[in-house]
Amino acid sequence: MRKKPDISLFDWRVTAPALTAALAKLDPRVMAKNPVMFVTEVVAALSTLLFLRDLFLGADTAAVVGQIAAWLWFTVYFANFAEAMAEGRGKARADTLRATQSETPAHKLASITAETYETVSSRSLKPGELVLVKVDDIVPADGEIVEGIASVDESAITGESASVIREAGGDRSAVTGGTRVVSDWIKVKITSKPGESFLDRMIAMVEGAERQKTPNEIALNILLAGMTIIFLIVVVTLEPFVMYSGAAVSVVFLIALLVTLIPTTIGGLLSAIGIAGMDRLVKSNVIAKSGRAVEAAGDVDVLLLDKTGTITYGARQADAFETLPGISRSEMAEAALLASLADETPEGRSIVDLARRQLGRAFDGSDAIVDTIPFSANTRISGADLKDGVRLRKGAADAILTWCGLVATPELRAVVEGIAKSGGTPLLVARDKAVLGVIHLKDIVKPGIRERFAELRRMGVRTVMITGDNPLTAAAIAAEAGVDDFLAEATPQKKLELIRREQALGKLVAMCGDGSNDAPALAQADVGVAMNTGTPAAKEAGNLIDLDSDPTKLIEIVLVGKQLLISRGSLTTFSLANDVAKYFAILPALFVTAYPALDALNIMHLGSPGSAILSAVIFNALIIIALIPLALRGVKYQPATAASLLRRNLLVYGLGGLIVPFVGIKAIDLIVNAAGIV
């Protein structure tokens, strides 16, 4: 799997539009969706009115009030800028995808048997119509291959340079508009309407920053809104306290104090964190339909994986040649190769490939063939007749024994039964009515998958393979792949029952699949990861789509989900600790003249109430800007227990949130007083 090239954190192509978008987001109707920043905007507007009043009256406080109003607007603007940057990065990736989408000519067929075609615009194609796609042609729209087999370049969508095989029938018959045929030809039945192709939906998903909020995010929003209301009540009740005490505290100082105390840091960055999480998935070639799926991935307990096409390759492949006594391996390999040249099935091609690898030379031998016997589902045999009169056959064990007129010997029976018990399929190779040996066909587990499952296990995710195979075959594949459990002879109903059973136990379930029979389970799962090579039904049912069709990608998905949760928790811890520090740093400076005893808490010794509140407002704005890169990049995830993560949060972000405001506000106060701003 190759990740898409990253977009630099402050790429000007993203930053420039974000600067403008941040201004548009100042619309109160937009700001009202974020209670914390909406309050900040109201306070900024009120401060601006007070500044204009003082300026008109010629009051001495006009300069300070004006600076406070400016920094409050600065705070709101850069909170919007953080969200606009996160959205802009997603839209930049959408533009990259859109560059692959163009109106292409399509060769429309009147029927599947038609020998001529009409060239039309791809935009005019309707569901059900047939098109012919030849070498170097662009697939005009999403569809299903109804005839033919071809190698297809999907790099424009997936970023993968290696072409993939697409053929009629099975789970690898779907093709995506915008991909290119690099060999042979295919006839495709269109399945998407104009403007509703998979690529169109992908672009819409990537641009869809207006995502559904997750339960955790809703809970955090409620917490932030509650804290905002509490501090609003606190600051409002300070006004009569100020009047009673006789302290010289301006109203604008009190409303600015409100902004410094409410959790503006996390309030301003919350949306950016969620959108950036979806963007990180896009960089890994995974399209998320909702933020809920991204966050749920961070808490996944159980992962269900469909075997065929997910854990293993779609078709069984030749794994070994087992020879009978007196037969050499090269003799067996040559006979198997020649007998399989006329077998165009994936299994037949895999036998030819294995034989050529074992022979260690560019063996062909086709010039020795006078006649070929193509594989037939009726005979279950393929073969070749040679010029020297030798007849070679390859096929199912019972079919070959019948052709030879033989009964299996004990040695042959032992090999055949051993392969069958291991979950494989035995095929016999015969020469002139004599059996040479057995070809072991098996489900080939995708490389590196066992190690990735071990990594998931360390992250606390239990893996379960689901397959329609019998328990014996399922157990063999499960052991080889390294999954924790398996469900054999699985029907769509059994998959649903398993997911619901796990969910009833309070588990979050993720499901990877690519077939139409996986669609119900993908829809039921908390996280449904559909393979891009899968059927349209599977891709519609999933809430995440893996463009690389790599089931081990769930590790990246889980990591991004955990990173999103940890980033939000870390910045929330920092923000709350930040507010506590500002509370104890500013209040003593404001009221020490009325209550000298508060001087014991005035450990920062700020220059004046005016410089204290102005320094706090400036710090409040600058800290949001400083944290934008962290919100977009995310806090690095390292597998650890909940207690360890909490301890790290408190030590790094909690303690840091307490210390940084003291240092920052004091430094700004020294600059403000030295410059004579206040």
Side-chain angles (χ1 to χ4, degrees), residues 534-586:
T535 60
K539 289 187 281 189
E540 289 293 339
N543 49 23
L544 295 172
I545 299 176
D546 175 19
L547 302 182
D548 293 319
S549 300
D550 176 8
T552 64
K553 184 75 69 61
L554 189 86
I555 293 176
E556 279 79 11
I557 296 172
V558 170
L559 284 174
V560 169
K562 288 185 180 296
Q563 189 180 41
L564 187 152
L565 293 175
I566 290 172
S567 298
R568 187 181 296 155
S570 298
L571 290 178
T572 300
T573 302
F574 181 88
S575 179
L576 297 180
N578 209 2
D579 294 332
V580 171
K582 286 184 286 187
Y583 187 86
F584 286 103
I586 299 167

Side-chain angles (χ1 to χ4, degrees), residues 120-241:
V120 299
S121 166
S122 61
R123 292 290 180 183
S124 68
L125 295 174
K126 299 175 182 178
E129 292 183 334
L130 298 171
V131 294
L132 172 66
V133 189
K134 301 179 293 185
V135 175
D136 288 332
D137 284 352
I138 301 296
V139 177
D142 295 356
E144 289 282 331
I145 299 175
V146 293
E147 185 179 329
I149 179 171
S151 180
V152 180
D153 177 7
E154 297 183 341
S155 59
I157 292 177
T158 67
E160 282 292 324
S161 57
S163 300
V164 295
I165 300 298
R166 294 285 178 263
E167 59 184 323
D171 288 338
R172 295 185 177 272
S173 61
V175 286
T176 303
T179 57
R180 184 172 62 91
V181 171
V182 295
S183 75
D184 302 292
W185 57 267
I186 48 177
K187 292 181 180 179
V188 178
K189 180 181 178 181
I190 303 301
T191 58
S192 63
K193 297 178 181 178
E196 296 182 7
S197 68
F198 178 59
L199 189 55
D200 289 316
R201 294 194 300 274
M202 252 191 338
I203 292 170
M205 284 183 247
V206 172
E207 291 182 321
E210 294 281 334
R211 73 204 193 294
Q212 184 180 14
K213 283 184 168 55
T214 65
N216 284 343
E217 190 173 353
I218 292 172
L220 184 55
N221 273 321
I222 293 172
L223 172 65
L224 299 183
M227 293 184 64
T228 301
I229 294 171
I230 290 171
F231 280 117
L232 180 61
I233 295 172
V234 169
V235 173
V236 168
T237 56
L238 280 177
E239 175 61 18
F241 174 74

Side-chain angles (χ1 to χ4, degrees), residues 27 41 54 64 91 164 185 209 231 255 318 364 388 411 459 461 482 498 526 533 587 599 621 628 648 667:
D27 185 336
E41 184 178 43
D54 290 354
V64 176
K91 287 172 181 171
V164 295
W185 57 267
F231 280 117
I255 61 176
D364 185 4
D388 58 6
E411 294 87 357
M459 294 166 62
V461 179
L498 177 59
D526 300 286
T533 55
L587 284 182
D599 190 54
I628 288 176
R648 177 192 173 201

Side-chain angles (χ1 to χ4, degrees), residues 308-513:
T308 305
T310 305
I311 291 178
T312 66
Y313 291 105
R316 294 194 169 195
Q317 299 183 16
D319 182 63
F321 294 137
E322 303 288 346
T323 61
L324 292 181
I327 305 298
S328 68
R329 290 194 175 276
S330 61
E331 190 178 359
M332 169 72 175
E334 287 186 13
L337 187 152
L338 293 174
S340 301
L341 285 176
D343 185 354
E344 293 298 328
T345 65
E347 292 84 357
R349 291 194 295 270
S350 74
I351 294 170
V352 173
D353 290 341
L354 177 62
R356 284 178 172 155
R357 288 198 304 271
Q358 290 201 1
L359 289 170
R361 54 192 172 89
F363 176 82
D364 185 4
S366 58
D367 57 344
I369 298 175
V370 294
D371 192 19
T372 59
I373 294 85
F375 176 82
S376 164
N378 292 325
T379 64
R380 295 178 295 154
I381 288 177
S382 68
D385 293 339
L386 308 185
K387 291 179 180 178
D388 58 6
V390 173
R391 295 188 298 168
L392 302 172
R393 297 293 184 270
K394 175 271 303 174
D398 59 335
I400 291 295
L401 288 173
T402 300
W403 180 78
C404 293
L406 299 174
V407 176
T409 63
E411 294 87 357
L412 178 60
R413 190 181 303 112
V415 174
V416 169
E417 290 178 355
I419 292 174
K421 287 180 179 178
S422 70
T425 300
L427 298 180
L428 302 190
V429 177
R431 181 178 61 198
D432 290 337
K433 306 291 185 176
V435 177
L436 303 179
V438 186
I439 302 171
H440 185 172
L441 286 183
K442 63 178 292 188
D443 283 307
I444 303 296
V445 174
K446 293 183 177 179
I449 202 164
R450 188 180 184 89
E451 292 74 19
R452 305 304 297 275
F453 287 157
E455 189 175 346
L456 280 169
R457 194 174 298 111
R458 287 193 295 272
M459 294 166 62
V461 179
R462 186 168 67 92
T463 53
V464 180
M465 181 187 79
I466 50 180
T467 175
D469 289 336
N470 62 70
L472 188 63
T473 300
I477 298 297
E480 184 178 354
V483 295
D484 298 310
D485 201 356
F486 66 88
L487 174 66
E489 299 176 342
T491 62
Q493 185 59 37
K494 284 186 177 180
K495 296 175 189 177
L496 274 178
E497 290 173 358
L498 177 59
I499 292 174
R500 288 168 178 165
R501 188 162 60 247
E502 294 287 351
Q503 290 173 332
L505 296 173
K507 306 287 187 182
L508 280 182
V509 181
M511 164 76 185
C512 282

